[in-house]
Amino acid sequence: MSKTLDRIAELGLTLPDVATPAGAYVPALRTGNYVYTSGQLPVVDGKLPATGHIGSDVDLETGYDLARTAGLNALAAIAGVIGDLDKIVRVVKVTGFVNSADDFTQQPSVINGVSELYGEIFGDRGQHTRSAVGVNTLPLGTPVEVEVVVEVEDDAA
């Protein structure tokens, strides 16, 4: 077992199966030493645990937890491309989209769910750049969607 999977288990989490794409795209793609994920939703066992706008239909704490789940799903998509998550050199960028009520302005607090998860799993390698964007709707009514970019070890090394 990899150190990263051990750490995920220590946190009481498991790496889920890679979610089936909802369209004509792949969950993650490697180019050079970088892996880019498609937008990852907080799907659990094939279903969204909540839908709607954060700040009206979904509270901030639930949004944070959903972002954390989406971040874990992103790691599953990355693992589907590189196999061993120990090959991640560092998390480079997280982009978070928050399905926001009109007056909701705490998108960064929601996307902290992903950022803090990656810090817990990867330590310093989990520090990343980030955008947290409020939007008026997301696919399937999900409250949050995340995209992740990681740098990975050179296969030739």
Side-chain angles (χ1 to χ4, degrees):
M1 189 177 247
S2 77
K3 291 178 186 177
T4 304
L5 288 180
D6 287 346
R7 180 64 186 140
I8 290 170
E10 286 173 11
L11 295 171
L13 303 169
T14 56
L15 198 64
D17 292 333
V18 178
T20 302
Y25 60 89
V26 295
L29 180 71
R30 180 177 181 161
T31 182
N33 287 353
Y34 293 90
V35 176
Y36 296 78
T37 72
S38 295
Q40 298 294 313
L41 308 183
V43 174
V44 176
D45 296 327
K47 297 182 183 199
L48 288 170
T51 58
H53 294 87
I54 297 180
S56 60
D57 308 310
V58 179
D59 64 30
L60 175 63
E61 181 179 299
T62 301
Y64 175 97
D65 291 340
L66 292 169
R68 190 171 168 95
T69 299
L72 195 60
N73 288 343
L75 290 181
I78 293 164
V81 171
I82 65 170
D84 186 355
L85 290 175
D86 286 348
K87 293 180 181 178
I88 294 175
V89 173
R90 78 169 303 113
V91 178
V92 176
K93 172 84 178 194
V94 170
T95 304
F97 302 95
V98 179
N99 190 357
S100 301
D102 289 341
D103 60 348
F104 185 76
T105 59
Q106 296 178 350
Q107 291 83 4
S109 296
V110 173
I111 302 306
N112 278 346
V114 182
S115 295
E116 292 175 4
L117 173 68
Y118 289 171
E120 292 171 17
I121 293 172
F122 296 107
D124 289 344
R125 295 182 304 136
Q127 293 181 352
H128 54 271
T129 62
R130 187 181 88 179
S131 298
V133 181
V135 298
N136 70 344
T137 190
L138 284 169
L140 308 175
T142 187
V144 68
E145 179 176 3
V146 301
E147 296 175 352
V148 177
V149 179
V150 297
E151 181 183 4
V152 297
E153 294 174 356
D154 188 345
D155 280 341

